[in-house]
Amino acid sequence: IGGWYNYEYTLNSRHIAAKDSIIGYEINLYTYEGGAHGSHTITYLNFNAQTGEQILLEDVFTEGYETLLSDRLLKALLKHTKLNSLEELQNEGFLTATNMYPSKNFLLTSEGIKFYYNAYEIAPYAMGPTELTLSYEEIKDLLKH
C-alpha cells in the first residue's frame, strides 16, 4: 500500500470512579480512515462489583421511564447550552435528526447519572460530544432503588 494510505485505530480503557459498589469503566476509541477528520468515541460501562454483571438502564430505572427521562434530559440540555427551547437547540444544530433520548452510554457516579452522547448522536461533529448529568434527586421518582 502506498504512502498515501493512512489508517489509525487506537483503543484505550480505564477504570473510572463510580457510585458505591459499582465498577465504572471507560473505553476511548479513535479511528481515522482518511477524510476530513478522525472519529473519537467514549463508551461507559457499569458493573455490579458483587456479581460482575453489567448494569443497564433497565436495571436502574422503573418500567416506562423513557419518556419522563427524555424530558428531563432535554431540560438538562437546554440548561447546558443556555438555550430556551427545542427550536433554539435545533437552530444551533442539536436534535435535528433525532428526538432527545436516554443514552445507553451512561456512568453511575456519586453525584448522579452521567449520560454521554458522542459526536453525531444528538449534534453534528463540530459541536463535539455532549455530557449531561442528572442528580439522583432529579430522577428519584424514576429509579428502582
Side-chain angles (χ1 to χ4, degrees):
I1 296 178
W4 56 268
Y5 184 75
N6 184 3
Y7 178 85
E8 185 176 346
Y9 185 94
T10 306
L11 180 67
N12 295 301
S13 61
R14 67 184 178 117
H15 174 268
I16 191 165
K19 181 180 188 267
D20 302 330
S21 61
I22 295 169
I23 298 170
Y25 205 65
E26 179 184 275
I27 301 168
N28 286 280
L29 174 63
Y30 175 79
T31 58
Y32 178 77
E33 298 174 339
H37 56 77
S39 174
H40 177 249
T41 60
I42 292 178
T43 302
Y44 290 109
L45 301 172
N46 302 273
F47 295 95
N48 181 314
Q50 302 297 324
T51 66
E53 292 181 15
Q54 185 177 354
I55 300 169
L56 306 174
L57 283 179
E58 294 76 25
D59 301 322
V60 177
F61 293 101
T62 58
E63 190 174 332
Y65 69 91
E66 294 88 348
T67 301
L68 290 172
L69 186 54
S70 295
D71 291 343
R72 292 179 197 176
L73 285 164
L74 180 59
K75 288 178 186 171
L77 180 59
L78 288 166
K79 183 177 179 182
H80 174 74
T81 58
K82 298 179 176 75
L83 298 172
N84 299 308
S85 69
L86 177 59
E87 183 180 357
E88 286 183 22
L89 282 170
Q90 290 171 333
N91 288 339
E92 293 295 318
F94 287 93
L95 303 174
T96 58
T98 186
N99 293 322
M100 193 68 214
Y101 63 92
S103 176
K104 294 181 188 271
N105 190 8
F106 69 98
L107 182 66
L108 299 166
T109 73
S110 57
E111 295 81 32
I113 302 179
K114 176 171 42 173
F115 293 89
Y116 195 86
Y117 300 88
N118 286 294
Y120 294 120
E121 290 186 302
I122 63 171
Y125 179 85
M127 303 295 285
T130 304
E131 183 179 303
L132 303 171
T133 300
L134 297 177
S135 72
Y136 293 111
E137 182 65 27
E138 291 176 278
I139 53 175
K140 66 183 176 186
D141 60 317
L142 301 176
L143 297 172
K144 281 188 177 180
H145 304 111

PDB file of all heavy atoms in Angstrom, residues 21-25 45-56 59:
ATOM      1  N   SER A  21     -20.795   0.552  45.249  1.00  0.00           N
ATOM      2  CA  SER A  21     -20.231  -0.755  44.897  1.00  0.00           C
ATOM      3  C   SER A  21     -20.361  -1.036  43.396  1.00  0.00           C
ATOM      4  O   SER A  21     -20.575  -2.171  42.985  1.00  0.00           O
ATOM      5  CB  SER A  21     -20.931  -1.854  45.701  1.00  0.00           C
ATOM      6  OG  SER A  21     -22.309  -1.858  45.399  1.00  0.00           O
ATOM      7  N   ILE A  22     -20.203   0.003  42.609  1.00  0.00           N
ATOM      8  CA  ILE A  22     -20.288  -0.138  41.154  1.00  0.00           C
ATOM      9  C   ILE A  22     -18.904   0.106  40.574  1.00  0.00           C
ATOM     10  O   ILE A  22     -18.188   1.021  40.987  1.00  0.00           O
ATOM     11  CB  ILE A  22     -21.311   0.850  40.565  1.00  0.00           C
ATOM     12  CG1 ILE A  22     -22.706   0.471  41.079  1.00  0.00           C
ATOM     13  CG2 ILE A  22     -21.271   0.862  39.049  1.00  0.00           C
ATOM     14  CD1 ILE A  22     -23.770   1.491  40.807  1.00  0.00           C
ATOM     15  N   ILE A  23     -18.528  -0.709  39.647  1.00  0.00           N
ATOM     16  CA  ILE A  23     -17.264  -0.543  38.943  1.00  0.00           C
ATOM     17  C   ILE A  23     -17.562   0.174  37.634  1.00  0.00           C
ATOM     18  O   ILE A  23     -18.357  -0.303  36.826  1.00  0.00           O
ATOM     19  CB  ILE A  23     -16.591  -1.901  38.678  1.00  0.00           C
ATOM     20  CG1 ILE A  23     -16.276  -2.592  39.998  1.00  0.00           C
ATOM     21  CG2 ILE A  23     -15.345  -1.720  37.817  1.00  0.00           C
ATOM     22  CD1 ILE A  23     -15.837  -4.019  39.847  1.00  0.00           C
ATOM     23  N   GLY A  24     -16.946   1.320  37.446  1.00  0.00           N
ATOM     24  CA  GLY A  24     -17.107   2.079  36.215  1.00  0.00           C
ATOM     25  C   GLY A  24     -15.936   1.822  35.289  1.00  0.00           C
ATOM     26  O   GLY A  24     -14.799   1.621  35.725  1.00  0.00           O
ATOM     27  N   TYR A  25     -16.227   1.810  34.005  1.00  0.00           N
ATOM     28  CA  TYR A  25     -15.213   1.523  33.004  1.00  0.00           C
ATOM     29  C   TYR A  25     -15.406   2.470  31.843  1.00  0.00           C
ATOM     30  O   TYR A  25     -16.534   2.689  31.395  1.00  0.00           O
ATOM     31  CB  TYR A  25     -15.383   0.066  32.544  1.00  0.00           C
ATOM     32  CG  TYR A  25     -14.142  -0.564  32.007  1.00  0.00           C
ATOM     33  CD1 TYR A  25     -13.027  -0.780  32.810  1.00  0.00           C
ATOM     34  CD2 TYR A  25     -14.070  -0.955  30.680  1.00  0.00           C
ATOM     35  CE1 TYR A  25     -11.884  -1.380  32.305  1.00  0.00           C
ATOM     36  CE2 TYR A  25     -12.935  -1.549  30.173  1.00  0.00           C
ATOM     37  CZ  TYR A  25     -11.844  -1.758  30.989  1.00  0.00           C
ATOM     38  OH  TYR A  25     -10.712  -2.336  30.485  1.00  0.00           O
ATOM     39  N   LEU A  45     -19.227   1.872  30.766  1.00  0.00           N
ATOM     40  CA  LEU A  45     -19.854   0.635  31.212  1.00  0.00           C
ATOM     41  C   LEU A  45     -19.888   0.655  32.727  1.00  0.00           C
ATOM     42  O   LEU A  45     -18.980   1.177  33.380  1.00  0.00           O
ATOM     43  CB  LEU A  45     -19.067  -0.582  30.728  1.00  0.00           C
ATOM     44  CG  LEU A  45     -18.892  -0.725  29.216  1.00  0.00           C
ATOM     45  CD1 LEU A  45     -17.931  -1.867  28.906  1.00  0.00           C
ATOM     46  CD2 LEU A  45     -20.226  -0.947  28.533  1.00  0.00           C
ATOM     47  N   ASN A  46     -20.933   0.076  33.291  1.00  0.00           N
ATOM     48  CA  ASN A  46     -21.110  -0.014  34.735  1.00  0.00           C
ATOM     49  C   ASN A  46     -21.281  -1.483  35.093  1.00  0.00           C
ATOM     50  O   ASN A  46     -22.050  -2.198  34.434  1.00  0.00           O
ATOM     51  CB  ASN A  46     -22.376   0.741  35.158  1.00  0.00           C
ATOM     52  CG  ASN A  46     -22.339   2.198  34.745  1.00  0.00           C
ATOM     53  OD1 ASN A  46     -21.835   3.026  35.457  1.00  0.00           O
ATOM     54  ND2 ASN A  46     -22.889   2.508  33.567  1.00  0.00           N
ATOM     55  N   PHE A  47     -20.589  -1.906  36.137  1.00  0.00           N
ATOM     56  CA  PHE A  47     -20.675  -3.300  36.560  1.00  0.00           C
ATOM     57  C   PHE A  47     -20.968  -3.385  38.051  1.00  0.00           C
ATOM     58  O   PHE A  47     -20.436  -2.598  38.844  1.00  0.00           O
ATOM     59  CB  PHE A  47     -19.362  -4.036  36.269  1.00  0.00           C
ATOM     60  CG  PHE A  47     -19.048  -4.143  34.811  1.00  0.00           C
ATOM     61  CD1 PHE A  47     -18.234  -3.208  34.203  1.00  0.00           C
ATOM     62  CD2 PHE A  47     -19.581  -5.159  34.041  1.00  0.00           C
ATOM     63  CE1 PHE A  47     -17.943  -3.283  32.855  1.00  0.00           C
ATOM     64  CE2 PHE A  47     -19.299  -5.250  32.693  1.00  0.00           C
ATOM     65  CZ  PHE A  47     -18.475  -4.306  32.096  1.00  0.00           C
ATOM     66  N   ASN A  48     -21.781  -4.339  38.423  1.00  0.00           N
ATOM     67  CA  ASN A  48     -22.047  -4.636  39.817  1.00  0.00           C
ATOM     68  C   ASN A  48     -20.782  -5.278  40.393  1.00  0.00           C
ATOM     69  O   ASN A  48     -20.332  -6.320  39.908  1.00  0.00           O
ATOM     70  CB  ASN A  48     -23.241  -5.596  39.917  1.00  0.00           C
ATOM     71  CG  ASN A  48     -23.597  -5.939  41.329  1.00  0.00           C
ATOM     72  OD1 ASN A  48     -22.749  -6.258  42.150  1.00  0.00           O
ATOM     73  ND2 ASN A  48     -24.885  -5.896  41.624  1.00  0.00           N
ATOM     74  N   ALA A  49     -20.195  -4.655  41.409  1.00  0.00           N
ATOM     75  CA  ALA A  49     -18.941  -5.138  41.975  1.00  0.00           C
ATOM     76  C   ALA A  49     -19.098  -6.509  42.636  1.00  0.00           C
ATOM     77  O   ALA A  49     -18.130  -7.265  42.720  1.00  0.00           O
ATOM     78  CB  ALA A  49     -18.394  -4.136  42.979  1.00  0.00           C
ATOM     79  N   GLN A  50     -20.298  -6.851  43.099  1.00  0.00           N
ATOM     80  CA  GLN A  50     -20.520  -8.139  43.763  1.00  0.00           C
ATOM     81  C   GLN A  50     -20.663  -9.286  42.765  1.00  0.00           C
ATOM     82  O   GLN A  50     -20.091 -10.353  42.956  1.00  0.00           O
ATOM     83  CB  GLN A  50     -21.791  -8.067  44.624  1.00  0.00           C
ATOM     84  CG  GLN A  50     -21.766  -6.982  45.670  1.00  0.00           C
ATOM     85  CD  GLN A  50     -20.674  -7.197  46.704  1.00  0.00           C
ATOM     86  OE1 GLN A  50     -20.375  -8.315  47.080  1.00  0.00           O
ATOM     87  NE2 GLN A  50     -20.065  -6.113  47.147  1.00  0.00           N
ATOM     88  N   THR A  51     -21.436  -9.039  41.686  1.00  0.00           N
ATOM     89  CA  THR A  51     -21.746 -10.123  40.741  1.00  0.00           C
ATOM     90  C   THR A  51     -20.922 -10.051  39.458  1.00  0.00           C
ATOM     91  O   THR A  51     -20.831 -11.039  38.733  1.00  0.00           O
ATOM     92  CB  THR A  51     -23.232 -10.082  40.348  1.00  0.00           C
ATOM     93  OG1 THR A  51     -23.485  -8.885  39.607  1.00  0.00           O
ATOM     94  CG2 THR A  51     -24.129 -10.149  41.579  1.00  0.00           C
ATOM     95  N   GLY A  52     -20.380  -8.882  39.149  1.00  0.00           N
ATOM     96  CA  GLY A  52     -19.656  -8.708  37.899  1.00  0.00           C
ATOM     97  C   GLY A  52     -20.559  -8.476  36.698  1.00  0.00           C
ATOM     98  O   GLY A  52     -20.084  -8.300  35.585  1.00  0.00           O
ATOM     99  N   GLU A  53     -21.862  -8.455  36.926  1.00  0.00           N
ATOM    100  CA  GLU A  53     -22.803  -8.263  35.821  1.00  0.00           C
ATOM    101  C   GLU A  53     -22.863  -6.804  35.404  1.00  0.00           C
ATOM    102  O   GLU A  53     -22.798  -5.901  36.241  1.00  0.00           O
ATOM    103  CB  GLU A  53     -24.207  -8.727  36.225  1.00  0.00           C
ATOM    104  CG  GLU A  53     -24.315 -10.219  36.419  1.00  0.00           C
ATOM    105  CD  GLU A  53     -25.724 -10.658  36.787  1.00  0.00           C
ATOM    106  OE1 GLU A  53     -26.668  -9.874  36.618  1.00  0.00           O
ATOM    107  OE2 GLU A  53     -25.856 -11.790  37.255  1.00  0.00           O
ATOM    108  N   GLN A  54     -23.024  -6.599  34.085  1.00  0.00           N
ATOM    109  CA  GLN A  54     -23.159  -5.245  33.579  1.00  0.00           C
ATOM    110  C   GLN A  54     -24.514  -4.676  33.982  1.00  0.00           C
ATOM    111  O   GLN A  54     -25.528  -5.373  33.973  1.00  0.00           O
ATOM    112  CB  GLN A  54     -23.033  -5.216  32.058  1.00  0.00           C
ATOM    113  CG  GLN A  54     -23.039  -3.810  31.508  1.00  0.00           C
ATOM    114  CD  GLN A  54     -22.833  -3.744  30.007  1.00  0.00           C
ATOM    115  OE1 GLN A  54     -22.575  -4.740  29.356  1.00  0.00           O
ATOM    116  NE2 GLN A  54     -22.947  -2.546  29.461  1.00  0.00           N
ATOM    117  N   ILE A  55     -24.519  -3.397  34.364  1.00  0.00           N
ATOM    118  CA  ILE A  55     -25.749  -2.704  34.750  1.00  0.00           C
ATOM    119  C   ILE A  55     -26.237  -1.906  33.553  1.00  0.00           C
ATOM    120  O   ILE A  55     -25.507  -1.080  32.998  1.00  0.00           O
ATOM    121  CB  ILE A  55     -25.490  -1.767  35.949  1.00  0.00           C
ATOM    122  CG1 ILE A  55     -24.980  -2.580  37.139  1.00  0.00           C
ATOM    123  CG2 ILE A  55     -26.751  -0.979  36.302  1.00  0.00           C
ATOM    124  CD1 ILE A  55     -24.446  -1.741  38.278  1.00  0.00           C
ATOM    125  N   LEU A  56     -27.478  -2.159  33.147  1.00  0.00           N
ATOM    126  CA  LEU A  56     -28.098  -1.482  32.007  1.00  0.00           C
ATOM    127  C   LEU A  56     -29.114  -0.463  32.509  1.00  0.00           C
ATOM    128  O   LEU A  56     -29.512  -0.495  33.672  1.00  0.00           O
ATOM    129  CB  LEU A  56     -28.773  -2.507  31.101  1.00  0.00           C
ATOM    130  CG  LEU A  56     -27.886  -3.667  30.626  1.00  0.00           C
ATOM    131  CD1 LEU A  56     -28.713  -4.683  29.862  1.00  0.00           C
ATOM    132  CD2 LEU A  56     -26.726  -3.154  29.789  1.00  0.00           C
ATOM    133  N   ASP A  59     -31.963  -1.789  34.370  1.00  0.00           N
ATOM    134  CA  ASP A  59     -31.690  -2.230  35.740  1.00  0.00           C
ATOM    135  C   ASP A  59     -31.783  -1.080  36.734  1.00  0.00           C
ATOM    136  O   ASP A  59     -31.965  -1.299  37.924  1.00  0.00           O
ATOM    137  CB  ASP A  59     -30.285  -2.847  35.834  1.00  0.00           C
ATOM    138  CG  ASP A  59     -30.115  -4.032  34.907  1.00  0.00           C
ATOM    139  OD1 ASP A  59     -31.069  -4.816  34.743  1.00  0.00           O
ATOM    140  OD2 ASP A  59     -29.014  -4.163  34.326  1.00  0.00           O
TER     141      ASP A  59
END
